[in-house]
Amino acid sequence: MRFGLITFSETGQIVFNLNQYSTRTELVDAINAISIVGPGTDIAAGLDAVETVLLPSNGGREEVSDLVVVITYDTSDRRPGELAYAATQLRQAGCRH
């Protein structure tokens, strides 16, 4: 399995790509080092950044399905009309949710 991580507030910020960590310890350490970002909850910005993480140059593999998990403490408060569009674009690209 490969993991990428994106944080989002006013923008989507790639924390690490799918090919950055190869061991569980490295991955857990990277997750534990994440700082809280804010203000705002622009989930659409986070979903927009997913496309970059899924590129082959960042560890994306066309021969496997992509699964996107969104964890948030709030509803999207920025660009709410674009959230459904961003999610639809990812589903059409083959991402599961």
Side-chain angles (χ1 to χ4, degrees):
M1 294 185 114
R2 296 181 182 190
F3 295 90
L5 189 112
I6 299 165
T7 58
F8 51 90
S9 60
E10 293 178 341
T11 62
Q13 178 67 40
I14 297 169
V15 178
F16 56 84
N17 287 306
L18 298 168
N19 58 0
Q20 193 161 344
Y21 298 110
S22 57
T23 69
R24 178 186 168 129
T25 301
E26 290 175 322
L27 180 63
V28 170
D29 288 346
I31 292 170
N32 286 332
I34 296 171
S35 298
I36 303 245
V37 294
T41 309
D42 189 346
I43 299 171
L47 294 180
D48 289 343
V50 169
E51 292 182 44
T52 301
V53 170
L54 296 177
L55 291 173
S57 60
N58 293 326
R61 299 177 290 174
E62 292 184 15
E63 67 275 6
V64 297
S65 296
D66 299 315
L67 174 65
V68 176
V69 177
V70 176
I71 301 172
T72 183
Y73 67 90
D74 203 356
T75 58
S76 190
D77 64 356
R78 303 188 192 275
R79 302 186 313 145
E82 295 181 35
L83 177 56
Y85 178 77
T88 299
Q89 292 296 103
L90 286 174
R91 278 193 294 276
Q92 289 176 346
C95 293
R96 296 182 298 150
H97 61 289

